[in-house]
Amino acid sequence: MADGSMPTKTVEAPVPPQQLDVPLDSPAIRRLIEEVRAEIVDVPRSYNRTFNRHNR
Amino acid sequence: MHVDTVLLKVASRCNLDCSYCYVYHMGDESWRTLPKRLAAGTQALVAAELGALMRAQGRPFSIVLHGGEPLLLGLPRIKSLLTALRGALGETCGISIQTNGVLISDAILDLCVEYDVTLSVSLDGPPPVHDRFRVDLRQRSTHAKVVAGLQRLQAHPAAERLFSGLLCVVDPTSDPEAVYDYFKCLAVPSVDFLYRDGNHSVLPFGKASANSHEYGAWMCRILDRYVADPAPFRSRLLDDMMRLLLGGAGVKEGIGLTDYGILVIDTDGAVKKNDTLKSSPLGDGFDATWALGCNTLADIAASPEFRAYHLAQRPSSPTCLACPQLKVCGGGMVTHRFKDGAGYDNPTVFCADQKLLIARMETLLAPYLKDRAA
């Protein structure tokens, strides 16, 4: 098995929330807000279980 | 209930030997006695039964060609299967292939275009991360072969239609920024992050205890990269959780409280539970022995035992039911709730991880929620 044979970096603890530089113009969040608003008025979602399924 | 996803096992074997695979390396040995490939006669039966199921429940579902490695079925048999499926189901059902990418060829891609089939490729990150676990049958690295297949897919004239995205199994000891930036360099449309399988009795790789949050800390750093990215790819796990926090709905199994309906068909035509349950000692089999040709899928899906399996996804642990984050977490995947002596009636083994990640999301979304409320 390959387990343990490669060098890896230990994950550091995340930055405490109070020190987080919150991006006020995040494209990812803006997109999600628009998608949620669209769902409210029954506009088809950008992806769904029936047509965009991955593994599980 | 209704079925929304059919995992069709078209090959019981794989050309890779990923050390974390729940099919081959987590205690289930059923693959050894299954037909290596979905036989021609079984293909026709499966297609006819799926058509009948769609008509019986009055709504379509997604079909995922799955394995093992589904492309081991081979081009001629894949073509005959897709012909049968489209003949029985028309164009209303989405069909996709979850592949490790090594066997992607132009002929396969052209076939997928012809039958309106999408592909998702499993890739865990840059070479040191991917090759740590995703090795071939001789324990050799596979990264270069996967990326070659991926590049073939991305170079296809219909790549935008064909390529749904990557599936990445998280290594919590890896550098999350390096993984994120690597996927950005590949210009993929989406990355779905999956946690490693495990439970309270056999902890997932990298977790020191059920109360530790190695996966949550890793995902928080991915999240920070994601929300700061001016042109991010999609990430189903992060999108679903934040959409739920924003008052919307999720689509990913193991997130939120929406029911999902997953039906699995093995290469011998037997109907099974969610295949990820192979990673817990109770396994993925029903007490009843169902097989296509003897039972219809519509009858199986309507049976009390199938309904009990369906309802088991709903979290029942008192800890979960009292948790303010339940609507986002959903209690996690059933297989991750297992504990010796207590079955599945527990919070997910990733409970602390999800709490950390949800708290981070709440912090990030607070200005937007405040803006919406104003």
Side-chain angles (χ1 to χ4, degrees), chain B residues 153-164:
Chain B
L153 168 56
Q154 291 181 294
H156 193 280
E160 196 171 340
R161 277 172 56 201
L162 285 170
F163 186 24
S164 59

Side-chain angles (χ1 to χ4, degrees), chain B residues 308-336:
Chain B
Y309 148 69
H310 176 75
L311 294 176
Q313 69 187 291
R314 296 178 183 173
S316 55
S317 158
T319 304
C320 290
L321 297 178
C323 179
Q325 309 296 2
L326 181 61
K327 70 171 185 177
V328 180
C329 164
M333 293 177 61
V334 175
T335 196
H336 297 157

Side-chain angles (χ1 to χ4, degrees), chain B residues 92-130:
Chain B
T92 55
C93 288
I95 301 179
S96 57
I97 299 176
Q98 180 62 46
T99 174
N100 61 40
V102 171
L103 296 175
I104 290 176
S105 65
D106 288 334
I108 288 287
L109 296 174
D110 291 342
L111 189 67
C112 289
V113 172
E114 184 181 351
Y115 289 91
D116 193 19
V117 175
T118 60
L119 293 103
S120 172
V121 178
S122 298
L123 180 69
D124 287 355
V129 178
H130 177 93

Side-chain angles (χ1 to χ4, degrees), chain B residues 17 37 70 129 176 197 223 244 249 358:
Chain B
D17 189 26
R37 298 175 183 84
V129 178
D197 289 315
L223 173 64
L244 286 162
I358 292 169

Side-chain angles (χ1 to χ4, degrees), chain A residues 14 26 36 42 45 47:
Chain A
S26 168
V36 169
D42 291 332
R45 283 201 293 263
Y47 57 89

